[in-house]
Amino acid sequence: MANYLKMPKLSDTMSEGKIAKWNISVGDKVEFGTEIAEIETDKATMVWDIQIDGIVHKIYVPEGGVAALGTPLVLILKPGEAPPADADNPPGPTAAPKAEKASTSAGAATAPPIPKTTPISPVTGSANPANSDSKVKASPLAKKVANERGLDLSKIRGSGPGGRIVRNDLEYSQGGGRSTRSGGIGLAPIFPSRGDQIIPLSGMRRIIADRLLESKTTIPHFYLNIEIDAEPLMKTRTQVNEAMAASGGPKYTVNDFVMRGVVLAAQEVPAVNASFAGDSIYQYGSVSLAVAVAIEGGLVTPVIKNADQKSLSILASDLKVLAAKARDKKLTPDEMQGGSITISNLGSYGIHSFDAIINPPQAAILAIGTITKQPVVNEANQIVPGMRMFIGMSCDHRVIDGAVGATYLAALKKYLETPILLIS
C-alpha cells in the first residue's frame, strides 16, 4: 500500500517545518526506525524517523523547502508496488511548499534594503578603488609618514571626512606582515575589516524572533532581582564533589543546585508555577522545569518533566542527557514541551546579571548570573571578602503580582543559602 508521509507535528506550537536535510534518496530501501530527515521546527531541528518499511518512490519537498503541517513530503511504496494515480499530485494542503531563499541573489526582491555606504577595503588586501590612483585622499602629514614607513596608502582605510586618510589611520595599518603601531610592541592583534553581509534567517532563528517579539509585546513583564550569599553553596558543592570524586560519582555544577532550588521554591509558592489562560489562570500540579540550552543557530529549552519528584542527582543527570540530545538535534517533541517555569543561566559566560524574556505560556523565567567575589559587610559590621550571585526573575503581571514574586524569590534565596536543603 502506498504511504504518503506528511509533515509531522514535532512541537506543540508548530504550524510548518523546514526540511534541513534529507538522509534518503529516491530508490532507497528504508526500514522501521530509519532516520530519513532533519526538520527545523519552531523550537529546534529534530530528527524524523520512519515508522514503516518500503522503497522511496518520490520526494516532494526539497532540502530548504518549508511546508505546512500535513503536506506530503515523501511517497513510500512496497517492493514491486506500482505508484498510485495521484503520485505526481498527492493529496494534502493545496498551498505549495515555499522554499526559503538560500542566498541574497535568489532573494533579492525580498531582502532588506542595504544601507548606502561608501565601500571600504580591508586594512590588508586588494586596493581600495577610491585610492587606487595617484590622487589618494590623504592629509599631507599622512602622506609624509606613509612615505617614511613605505606604506601603500591605497591599501589603508581612511577615517577622515569623505574617507580621507589621516595620520592615526597609519597607526593601525600593517606593513611587512607585522604591526607598525607607533611606539607599540605589536601585542594587540590586527583584524582585517569585513564587508557587510546579509545572513538569511534559519527556520529556528525566524521563529525565535517571532516568539520573543510576541512575548515581549503581549505579556506585561515586570522584573525582580535578588542577591544571594553564594559562599555556603560553593562550600557545599566543593564537599559534595570531593565525596563524589572519592566514590567515582559525577560532579555537580552550580546550575544543578540552582535547578533544585528553583523547583523546591516553586513547590513552596505554587502561584508562580502557572500560565495565563485568557479568562482564567492555569496552575500546574507539578513542576516541569525548562532549561535554556545554547546550540548552533539558536536556543532551545528542553523540559525536565515532574522535576518536583526528582532529587538533585536525577535533575543533574536528566539535564546532561537533554543538553547532549539538544546539541545533537535528537530531542523528541515530548522533550520540548510542557514546561511550567524556565531557567536561563549565563553565569558561565561571566554575565553578572540580566533580565530574561518570558517563555510563553509560562508566567516566570529565572535569569541566573555568575558568582563573583565582592567585599561584604558581616554581622559585626566588618568589611570582609564574600561571594555573591545575582538572580533576576521576569514575571507575567497577569498571573504573578509583585508580592507573590518577592515571596518566591525569598524562598529561592533560603534554599540556595542553606544548600543542605537541596541535597536529597
Side-chain angles (χ1 to χ4, degrees):
M1 177 181 177
N3 285 280
Y4 291 101
L5 302 187
K6 301 180 179 181
M7 177 63 73
K9 188 177 180 66
L10 297 176
S11 80
D12 53 340
T13 54
M14 176 183 173
S15 61
E16 64 180 20
K18 174 183 176 182
I19 302 296
K21 180 184 178 183
W22 280 115
N23 297 324
I24 56 172
S25 301
V26 172
D28 286 355
K29 181 179 179 181
V30 292
E31 299 177 348
F32 185 98
T34 300
E35 296 178 352
I36 64 172
E38 294 179 6
I39 299 178
E40 280 189 18
T41 73
D42 57 342
K43 293 185 176 179
T45 299
M46 300 185 183
V47 173
W48 183 35
D49 58 340
I50 197 171
Q51 303 299 309
I52 58 174
D53 301 335
I55 305 294
V56 179
H57 177 74
K58 197 173 186 66
I59 294 176
Y60 296 106
V61 179
E63 287 188 359
V66 178
L69 292 180
T71 299
L73 301 180
V74 61
L75 173 60
I76 304 295
L77 302 177
K78 293 295 183 182
E81 181 182 9
D86 59 0
D88 293 327
N89 186 26
T94 55
K98 55 182 180 180
E100 289 193 353
K101 306 300 185 292
S103 66
T104 55
S105 60
T110 58
I114 302 174
K116 294 183 178 180
T117 58
T118 303
I120 58 176
S121 66
V123 173
T124 57
S126 60
N128 187 335
N131 293 334
S132 59
D133 58 19
S134 59
K135 296 181 180 180
V136 175
K137 295 173 65 175
S139 69
L141 180 57
K143 289 182 178 180
K144 178 182 177 183
V145 174
N147 184 58
E148 292 174 350
R149 297 183 182 178
L151 298 176
D152 183 352
L153 289 176
S154 68
K155 295 183 178 180
I156 297 175
R157 185 176 66 231
S159 61
R164 189 170 187 245
I165 299 171
V166 296
R167 187 186 186 283
N168 283 344
D169 296 327
L170 307 183
E171 304 305 322
Y172 300 95
S173 65
Q174 288 182 308
R178 60 184 180 85
S179 171
T180 57
R181 293 178 188 233
S182 178
I185 57 176
L187 294 180
I190 302 290
F191 296 102
S193 64
R194 299 176 60 184
D196 296 341
Q197 299 181 65
I198 295 178
I199 302 174
L201 292 179
S202 66
M204 180 189 298
R205 193 78 254 166
R206 176 166 51 84
I207 297 300
I208 287 174
D210 291 343
R211 291 293 164 81
L212 292 185
L213 177 63
E214 179 185 3
S215 173
K216 192 65 172 155
T217 56
T218 63
I219 295 177
H221 286 59
F222 76 93
Y223 309 96
L224 301 171
N225 295 275
I226 57 170
E227 180 178 310
I228 301 291
D229 178 3
E231 193 158 354
L233 175 61
M234 297 305 288
K235 287 182 178 179
T236 299
R237 175 177 173 256
T238 298
Q239 292 171 350
V240 170
N241 283 343
E242 287 176 350
M244 289 293 101
S247 62
K251 290 186 176 181
Y252 295 99
T253 67
V254 170
N255 196 59
D256 295 334
F257 286 89
V258 171
M259 286 194 300
R260 178 70 170 150
V262 166
V263 170
L264 291 177
Q267 286 184 286
E268 190 169 318
V269 188
V272 306
N273 192 52
S275 294
F276 185 71
D279 58 355
S280 62
I281 293 174
Y282 185 89
Q283 194 168 110
Y284 299 96
S286 63
V287 182
S288 290
L289 184 63
V291 183
V293 176
I295 64 172
E296 183 181 357
L299 186 75
V300 295
T301 52
V303 177
I304 302 175
K305 301 291 179 63
N306 300 313
D308 51 310
Q309 300 174 22
K310 297 180 178 181
S311 65
L312 173 67
S313 61
I314 295 177
L315 286 174
S317 176
D318 282 1
L319 180 60
K320 286 184 177 68
V321 171
L322 289 171
K325 293 181 72 174
R327 296 184 182 106
D328 292 338
K329 302 177 182 178
K330 299 288 187 180
L331 286 171
T332 65
D334 184 61
E335 292 167 335
M336 292 288 294
Q337 59 195 31
S340 59
I341 192 168
T342 296
I343 291 176
S344 179
N345 191 336
L346 293 178
S348 62
Y349 295 90
I351 299 300
H352 180 267
S353 62
F354 67 104
D355 295 315
I357 298 177
I358 293 170
N359 182 19
Q362 300 163 28
I365 183 171
L366 281 304
I368 314 300
T370 191
I371 294 175
T372 59
K373 290 184 178 180
Q374 296 183 21
V376 298
V377 179
N378 64 14
E379 294 180 356
N381 289 327
Q382 299 170 322
I383 298 177
V384 297
M387 304 184 78
R388 290 293 187 268
M389 176 171 62
F390 290 88
I391 295 179
M393 181 179 182
S394 304
C395 305
D396 182 344
H397 217 325
R398 299 171 301 178
V399 179
I400 302 171
D401 291 328
V404 174
T407 302
Y408 173 80
L409 287 179
L412 178 59
K413 181 180 176 73
K414 174 189 69 178
Y415 284 114
L416 295 181
E417 291 186 345
T418 316
I420 191 67
L421 299 175
L422 305 174
I423 301 175
S424 62

